[in-house]
Amino acid sequence: MYKAQILIIGERKELLVKYKKLIENLNQDVIISNNLSDALLIMQKEVIEFIIISDTIKEKLSEFIRKIRVLTFNLRPIIIAVSKSNDLEDKLEILKAGADDFIGEEISKQEFQMRFQAHLRRYLESSINPITRLSQRELTIKAIKKSFKFENVSYLLLKIKNIIPYRKTHGEIAYEKVLQTLSAIINSTLGDNDYIGHIQENEFVLITNSMQCEKIASFLVFAFDNILNKFYSTDEFKNDYSIQSSDETKETKTGLMRLLISAVEKTDNDYIDILNNLNELNELCKDSKVSTYLIDRVKLKGETTITKTPNKVLIAEPDEALSYLLKNVCELNSIEVKLINSLREFDETYSTYRPDVVVLDWSISNNKESLKVAKKISKDNIKLIFSSSHLNKKEILKAGADLYIPKPYEIDDIIYWIKKFLNK
């Protein structure tokens, strides 16, 4: 649930306390200040979205509001003026100075609450995603900033892998249904003090207590995979991938959608660092073939990890002229290459060379053997480019290929994909 933060400014203590209690009863956060300098300090430290100003301050109310409006032009909080004056000229002057509403001190407690709720409702609804009914990015960033004052807070980033190709092949209505379903699942897990909102159109940030973080992540990935069959045809779900174009066109293997969740605990008060850490951690999940989550643990500063840079390509191509051409172009791009011309050489070369990418041609052996090799490569999580002149995309992708490319192909095209799979 999103809680707005309200600053009440005035000098009559009993009046400020009265308004504070009325707003806190609406489950919102309230801070009190009795002068402009203190109020400005509060606004620098806190995310203030509403300002209620009483005319009990020493300055003229309209002038005070004009100063506040200038000093908060980049934040644009909603300003509500409260005055004992009932003079029309006073009201007009205050509204012209920048107040969003004028309330007389004589109004009842119920009316005060209802008028405040009306402003709050408009404020929140202006930041609601029309598909999911969750808050948009601006409110999510404010929620992250507000959470800094609390201890034991964790942040979860939720991304749906393959949602973009799903949108392209299945259409806008199906895409929206996925987001709506995920939104409903997430909302079912939230406690009263938890928050969920968009950080991108189809990415979400969830803020929760650190004790609940892993429990929520575990449930969400389980729930998402268990409703996945509702969004695909029986054939697509059984094969674990979907085809987007005809056999005449090259195509990377597009797996089913998966929910990837990364989570970090609050370590500092910089929302940009938190979002960067969440995105970096989420990248580590992207190769998973099922929905998964990864929770960051506190690391010592200066700790580094040495990783092997992928750079080895094994090319299994019976056409010697083509295979040597591929080898030469790869080497010009500083890519290490090993060639084989038949599957008899495959097992020994594959196990000793340990490639990062395999380019396999359908005609290097009989159909069953080629598909058997493809399945082995896929099982080892090695990137596989499968070329064919037989226009059998479905069979090839089902065997585990990451890219189907029909022959004849352009050398530049296949080199582009080799470099892409090597992250060059």
Side-chain angles (χ1 to χ4, degrees):
M1 177 183 176
Y2 187 83
K3 287 186 178 183
Q5 196 147 251
I6 297 91
L7 174 62
I8 303 178
I9 306 172
E11 290 197 355
R12 209 161 79 217
K13 187 177 179 182
E14 65 275 14
L15 191 66
L16 303 187
V17 171
K18 170 189 168 183
Y19 294 149
K20 183 175 187 287
K21 286 182 178 178
L22 289 173
I23 294 172
E24 284 179 337
N25 286 339
L26 300 174
N27 200 28
Q28 306 301 314
D29 292 330
V30 183
I31 303 172
I32 288 177
S33 173
N34 55 22
N35 59 73
L36 180 59
S37 57
D38 286 348
L40 289 175
L41 288 174
I42 291 168
M43 283 185 276
Q44 288 172 5
K45 294 178 181 178
E46 305 288 344
V47 181
I48 301 298
E49 294 151 288
F50 288 77
I51 301 176
I52 298 175
I53 308 173
S54 165
D55 65 356
T56 57
I57 55 174
K58 288 186 173 70
E59 295 185 53
K60 187 179 179 181
L61 185 54
S62 58
E63 291 301 317
F64 190 87
I65 289 172
R66 192 170 282 110
K67 289 178 184 178
I68 288 288
R69 184 57 78 199
V70 170
L71 292 168
T72 62
F73 74 95
N74 59 327
L75 304 173
R76 192 51 181 91
I78 294 170
I79 297 177
I80 301 173
V82 181
S83 174
K84 55 184 173 292
S85 171
N86 205 27
D87 183 73
L88 178 59
E89 289 301 318
D90 288 343
K91 292 180 183 180
L92 294 176
E93 188 178 5
I94 286 167
L95 292 171
K96 285 178 183 177
D100 295 287
D101 196 5
F102 178 98
I103 298 177
E105 277 188 19
E106 74 283 355
I107 69 169
S108 67
K109 295 178 180 179
Q110 291 82 2
E111 184 181 350
F112 178 88
Q113 287 182 316
M114 290 303 294
R115 291 180 71 162
F116 173 79
Q117 280 186 307
H119 285 290
L120 178 62
R121 183 173 61 251
R122 282 192 293 271
Y123 173 71
L124 295 178
E125 286 177 352
S126 67
S127 183
I128 290 294
N129 182 286
I131 298 170
T132 63
R133 308 304 299 167
L134 299 178
S135 302
Q136 301 276 40
R137 178 184 175 88
E138 183 181 356
L139 225 56
T140 297
I141 290 174
K142 287 181 179 179
I144 295 172
K145 290 178 178 178
K146 287 180 187 179
S147 69
F148 295 155
K149 67 174 86 170
F150 303 111
E151 297 298 325
N152 301 317
V153 175
S154 283
Y155 308 91
L156 290 80
L157 175 64
L158 288 71
K159 292 187 180 184
I160 307 173
K161 179 182 175 183
N162 295 326
I163 185 73
I164 301 303
Y166 179 86
R167 184 181 194 175
K168 180 181 175 183
T169 55
H170 292 76
E172 204 66 25
I173 294 175
Y175 167 78
E176 291 179 2
K177 187 60 69 177
V178 172
L179 296 183
Q180 289 166 354
T181 303
L182 179 58
S183 170
I185 293 171
I186 297 168
N187 274 315
S188 71
T189 70
L190 300 186
D192 291 340
N193 296 317
D194 295 339
Y195 170 86
I196 180 68
H198 288 262
I199 198 66
Q200 300 293 343
E201 181 185 345
N202 46 44
E203 298 176 11
F204 309 87
V205 167
L206 194 159
I207 305 173
T208 188
N209 185 285
S210 295
M211 299 293 288
Q212 298 295 318
C213 175
E214 186 159 5
K215 183 179 177 182
I216 291 174
S218 176
F219 170 76
L220 290 176
V221 297
F222 168 79
F224 189 82
D225 277 357
N226 275 272
I227 54 94
L228 200 59
N229 63 319
K230 299 182 184 298
F231 303 115
Y232 290 98
S233 68
T234 303
D235 195 40
E236 285 176 313
F237 189 74
K238 181 181 177 183
N239 290 333
D240 201 32
Y241 69 90
S242 58
I243 291 178
Q244 301 178 57
S245 56
S246 68
D247 283 347
E248 288 81 8
T249 320
K250 69 177 179 294
E251 184 170 335
T252 55
K253 183 174 182 179
T254 304
L256 305 186
M257 291 180 292
R258 298 297 177 185
L259 183 62
L260 308 181
I261 301 177
S262 52
V264 297
E265 293 182 358
K266 179 173 75 71
T267 54
D268 54 36
N269 292 352
D270 189 330
Y271 82 91
I272 294 176
D273 278 352
I274 288 170
L275 292 176
N276 286 341
N277 290 339
L278 285 169
N279 276 300
E280 288 172 9
L281 199 61
N282 207 279
E283 280 293 299
L284 300 177
C285 302
K286 68 180 182 180
D287 290 331
S288 175
K289 294 184 178 179
V290 296
S291 294
T292 190
Y293 66 90
L294 193 57
I295 299 176
D296 193 22
R297 306 301 178 191
V298 178
K299 298 182 180 69
L300 294 174
K301 286 193 176 180
E303 182 180 344
T304 58
T305 304
I306 299 173
T307 57
K308 170 183 170 285
T309 302
N311 196 48
K312 289 183 174 183
V313 177
L314 176 61
I315 297 176
E317 168 61 61
D319 185 327
E320 290 190 19
L322 178 58
S323 63
Y324 277 107
L325 178 59
L326 285 171
K327 182 176 187 291
N328 289 334
V329 177
C330 282
E331 288 175 346
L332 286 172
N333 284 274
S334 302
I335 298 168
E336 187 180 334
V337 179
K338 185 82 76 173
L339 299 178
I340 60 172
N341 300 115
S342 71
L343 283 187
R344 290 192 302 274
E345 310 168 57
F346 178 80
D347 284 337
E348 183 180 351
T349 306
Y350 178 77
S351 58
T352 55
Y353 185 59
R354 300 178 66 186
D356 303 297
V357 174
V358 175
V359 179
L360 176 66
D361 185 76
W362 175 267
S363 60
I364 197 161
S365 182
N366 63 62
N367 299 358
K368 286 184 179 179
E369 284 300 311
S370 296
L371 293 175
K372 185 178 177 182
V373 168
K375 288 175 182 176
K376 173 179 173 55
I377 296 167
S378 175
K379 190 176 180 182
D380 293 340
N381 288 321
I382 304 297
K383 293 293 184 182
L384 172 61
I385 298 173
F386 209 139
S387 62
S388 173
S389 55
H390 293 277
L391 302 180
N392 46 356
K393 180 189 288 188
K394 185 174 181 180
E395 195 172 12
I396 284 173
L397 292 177
K398 189 174 181 179
D402 295 285
L403 171 67
Y404 159 86
I405 186 163
K407 279 188 169 182
Y409 52 73
E410 297 290 336
I411 296 297
D412 287 348
D413 201 15
I414 201 165
I415 295 299
Y416 165 81
W417 283 101
I418 289 172
K419 291 169 74 174
K420 187 177 176 70
F421 287 145
L422 291 173
N423 296 316
K424 279 184 171 288

